[in-house]
Amino acid sequence: MMWFLVSTVNAYHIAIVDQNPMLKYFPVMEVDKKADSRDNDQKKVESKVLRKFTWKELSQLNGRHNAHVAVRGKVYDVSSFVSRHPGGVDQIMLGAGRDITQLFESYHPSETYKILDKYYVGTLVDNELPVFPPPSEFYRTVKKRVEDYFKDAKIDPKVDYWMFLRYIVFLSVAMSCWLGGIMFQTSLVAVIAFGLGWGFFSALVAMSCTHDASHFAVTHKPWVWRLVGSVHDFYHGASMFVWIHQHVLGHHPYTNIDGADPDIQTSTSEDIRRIKWTQKWVPRYFYQHIYMPLLYCVLGVKTRLQDFYILLTLKNTTIRMNHPTLAQLLIFLGGKLVHVTYRIIIPLYFMPWKTALLMNLAAEIVGSYWLALIFQTSHVISEVEWPKPDKDNVVHMDCKKCTEGYGNPPRPNFTSSLDN
């Protein structure tokens, strides 16, 4: 009987070793069950009928019922995961139908790849926008050290009460200046002074509330991001939906890449300004240092009006936009209505139209110029990189190195909380 049991065990052992010779170095009872489970999962993935997607085919898969995303050339059907996404439905749907490699690697820890494996359905065979090599060892090391620092120091990088204090102070001062201009309307000096203050602190609201919320950096709650971000719609009268597509999907992943970064997009013909070496030079550019500051003073008006065109075409220069939800559309329209009400209708009810116009012009000029100054020093300075994709649309540069010129004086505390 003992001989029979020993023979059976040996035969079983030999059969297993024949299938996997590496097991001869380990006892049968010590086989890694988790490794077996992972192998089985991988076999299940490989057994799927994998499909090849073009970027145009992927772009059509952008609804909640068929949401697909691409990361490092692999396509994932995440439609069943949308409602369970820890970062919120709006955020994952922002990336639906597109390659989200840069965003995925920037906003998620590396172990998140394990979650994606079960949703793998195919490969992406071409690219709509430039692609980058995998993150360098330097980047991964720095990211890991930063994460470890916050963890060891027990600091939550998304919860900083100084940020909230800044939001409240900037918004309160801006509205106080608006009210002051109405109350002291008999003095043109006071109207202009309050208008300038109103515009300047309104710009600070944009560079704090709007910017921080667009990066999902205000607590870990998606509803808080939406609440803080809605200030851009209802206070500034500009669309947060449009801004996120431009800034988060366009500018940050493709900083200063001509044809990809919407912040440096210029017309194919002779643009009114020259900001890139690739633009054709014409004589009037000799004087752009004179006329462009004047045009920058109406940047706010241009942005608010341009929102309508972008929403109708679903194209923000270089970046495709998915269809807005009903809630996003209502916020868009409601924000425009509220902005016109408090900025134009209410002042006209209490003060002469010329005085109301003067206060609004003062606010618009200083606010728009300050924002334009911030944007330009982030791009159009000699020290910044202008990465160029090769013939295969690959940028041979770590995408995390396509950074901006933030931190230049004189603006250490008058931009967004993320930049300090």
Side-chain angles (χ1 to χ4, degrees):
M1 184 67 178
M2 181 63 69
W3 175 86
F4 174 76
L5 291 174
V6 172
S7 298
T8 303
V9 171
N10 285 339
Y12 176 66
H13 184 246
I14 291 171
I16 294 177
V17 171
D18 285 342
Q19 294 178 12
N20 189 350
M22 288 300 296
L23 290 181
K24 67 183 180 180
Y25 300 106
F26 305 96
V28 174
M29 297 303 293
E30 294 181 7
V31 174
D32 187 348
K33 294 182 179 180
K34 291 184 178 180
D36 283 349
S37 177
R38 287 194 295 269
D39 289 342
N40 290 334
D41 290 342
Q42 184 63 29
K43 289 178 181 177
K44 290 179 182 178
V45 170
E46 292 173 352
S47 67
K48 292 180 179 179
V49 179
L50 299 179
R51 174 183 166 187
K52 292 184 178 180
F53 298 81
T54 64
W55 74 261
K56 289 185 178 180
E57 291 172 330
L58 177 64
S59 70
Q60 301 303 310
L61 303 173
N62 59 13
R64 286 191 63 165
H65 66 288
N66 66 352
H68 285 55
V69 298
V71 178
R72 291 290 166 201
K74 293 184 176 182
V75 177
Y76 303 91
D77 179 356
V78 295
S79 54
S80 61
F81 181 69
V82 168
S83 60
R84 296 181 285 117
H85 181 232
V89 173
D90 290 348
Q91 285 64 39
I92 193 171
M93 290 307 300
L94 188 68
R98 67 183 81 238
D99 185 337
I100 60 167
T101 300
Q102 279 73 256
L103 294 178
F104 182 84
E105 292 176 346
S106 296
Y107 285 92
H108 299 84
S110 57
E111 55 265 23
T112 312
Y113 274 103
K114 299 176 183 177
I115 299 176
L116 278 180
D117 288 342
K118 67 179 73 173
Y119 304 110
Y120 177 47
V121 293
T123 57
L124 188 64
V125 297
D126 60 359
N127 299 287
E128 176 185 12
L129 294 168
V131 295
F132 296 83
S136 65
E137 182 65 26
F138 172 77
Y139 171 77
R140 293 196 300 270
T141 300
V142 171
K143 184 176 181 180
K144 181 67 167 56
R145 288 179 179 178
V146 171
E147 291 172 349
D148 290 343
Y149 167 77
F150 282 117
K151 183 177 180 180
D152 295 340
K154 297 181 178 179
I155 298 174
D156 190 335
K158 288 194 174 186
V159 179
D160 183 358
Y161 295 106
W162 164 241
M163 293 171 67
F164 289 101
L165 177 62
R166 186 179 301 196
Y167 302 158
I168 294 171
V169 169
F170 288 167
L171 190 56
S172 298
V173 174
M175 290 306 296
S176 296
C177 289
W178 170 80
L179 184 61
I182 295 176
M183 293 179 63
F184 296 93
Q185 58 182 277
T186 55
S187 170
L188 291 182
V189 174
V191 168
I192 294 174
F194 280 121
L196 294 175
W198 177 26
F200 180 72
F201 280 94
S202 292
L204 300 189
V205 172
M207 292 304 297
S208 54
C209 295
T210 303
H211 186 248
D212 298 352
S214 69
H215 284 289
F216 325 123
V218 189
T219 77
H220 298 270
K221 305 292 185 181
W223 70 266
V224 177
W225 307 338
R226 289 194 296 271
L227 178 64
V228 176
S230 66
V231 171
H232 196 51
D233 285 275
F234 293 99
Y235 179 73
H236 291 113
S239 171
M240 186 66 169
F241 180 73
V242 171
W243 166 254
I244 288 181
H245 278 83
Q246 175 178 333
H247 189 68
V248 179
L249 287 182
H251 166 63
H252 272 282
Y254 308 105
T255 307
N256 277 28
I257 298 178
D258 198 5
D261 182 355
D263 283 10
I264 60 168
Q265 186 69 5
T266 52
S267 63
T268 54
S269 58
E270 296 175 3
D271 197 86
I272 195 170
R273 59 176 183 160
R274 186 171 188 257
I275 60 173
K276 300 174 293 190
W277 299 111
T278 55
Q279 288 180 258
K280 177 184 176 181
W281 187 89
V282 293
R284 71 163 175 269
Y285 293 145
F286 265 132
Y287 309 102
Q288 68 176 6
H289 66 288
I290 298 174
Y291 65 78
M292 281 312 301
L294 300 177
L295 293 178
Y296 282 148
C297 291
V298 294
L299 174 65
V301 174
K302 171 184 174 290
T303 300
R304 297 181 191 103
L305 295 177
Q306 187 174 268
D307 282 344
F308 290 99
Y309 175 77
I310 292 173
L311 194 67
L312 287 173
T313 60
L314 292 178
K315 183 81 172 180
N316 192 340
T317 61
T318 60
I319 302 300
R320 286 183 295 105
M321 296 175 60
N322 294 334
H323 286 277
T325 63
L326 177 60
Q328 289 167 335
L329 186 58
L330 290 175
I331 289 174
F332 178 93
L333 296 174
K336 300 293 185 185
L337 180 61
V338 170
H339 179 76
V340 169
T341 299
Y342 98 84
R343 183 143 194 168
I344 299 176
I345 297 177
I346 293 178
L348 286 177
Y349 182 81
F350 290 102
M351 56 203 304
W353 71 268
K354 291 183 180 179
T355 308
L357 178 62
L358 182 63
M359 184 174 74
N360 269 281
L361 281 176
E364 196 64 41
I365 288 171
V366 70
S368 294
Y369 187 77
W370 181 250
L371 289 174
L373 179 64
I374 300 300
F375 296 155
Q376 290 305 285
T377 55
S378 296
H379 292 293
V380 192
I381 52 177
S382 58
E383 291 84 359
V384 300
E385 296 275 0
W386 294 85
K388 294 182 178 180
D390 63 15
K391 60 182 178 62
D392 297 318
N393 211 19
V394 177
V395 178
H396 294 281
M397 179 183 200
D398 192 331
C399 74
K400 314 309 181 295
K401 291 182 181 178
C402 295
T403 54
E404 306 164 69
Y406 288 142
N408 296 316
R411 52 193 179 97
N413 285 304
F414 294 107
T415 58
S416 74
S417 304
L418 295 179
D419 295 335
N420 296 286

